Amino acid sequence: MSMETTSQTAHGVSLTPAAAAKVKNLIAQEENPDYRLRLAVESGGCSGLIYQLFFDERVEEGDAIVEFDGVGVIVDPKSSPYLEGSTIDFQDTIEKQGFTIDNPNAQGSCACGDSFH
């Protein structure tokens, strides 16, 4: 299979090739090769839990770090159970641009789509 159409999975989270390419591009613009993409879940939002997706150069005890097409993805041990089986994608269409998180553990989400339960 081509790397263009598959995603890789580790620490319960997968990153599609489109998302990996976009993250690589953004890290290059930031000019900090130590940056990795951190995905976390925190309390908040309308539905109880909210995703945090940001660049981080810190590595905390217990963090799982996995490389996807040259992009490091960090998930902390507290967030990992909420994210098992999730896929991070990047869409750039006329209708939508941005990162999306498809999480099979989410039982529902708020109208704005920023939080879940």
Side-chain angles (χ1 to χ4, degrees):
M1 285 187 163
S2 166
M3 291 302 290
E4 308 297 321
T5 59
T6 62
S7 58
Q8 301 170 347
T9 303
H11 55 47
V13 176
S14 65
L15 184 68
T16 66
K22 184 62 177 182
V23 171
K24 270 191 219 180
N25 187 331
L26 292 171
I27 289 173
Q29 290 176 23
E30 293 291 325
E31 298 180 355
N32 186 342
D34 294 331
Y35 273 162
R36 295 178 182 99
L37 183 67
R38 181 178 287 276
L39 175 60
V41 173
E42 295 183 1
S43 296
C46 327
S47 295
L49 297 170
I50 192 165
Y51 297 110
Q52 299 289 320
L53 190 63
F54 57 95
F55 292 131
D56 199 351
E57 57 190 352
R58 297 171 299 123
V59 177
E60 305 293 335
E61 186 176 336
D63 282 348
I65 306 169
V66 179
E67 293 281 325
F68 295 96
D69 297 331
V71 174
V73 177
I74 305 170
V75 176
D76 67 88
K78 195 168 98 177
S79 298
S80 188
Y82 296 105
L83 298 169
E84 185 70 34
S86 295
T87 301
I88 303 170
D89 194 11
F90 182 78
Q91 297 179 356
D92 190 2
T93 67
I94 195 164
E95 297 171 331
K96 182 176 186 173
Q97 181 181 26
F99 289 97
T100 60
I101 301 170
D102 180 16
N103 185 347
N105 301 303
Q107 296 174 0
S109 63
C110 62
C112 65
D114 289 338
S115 66
F116 69 100
H117 64 275

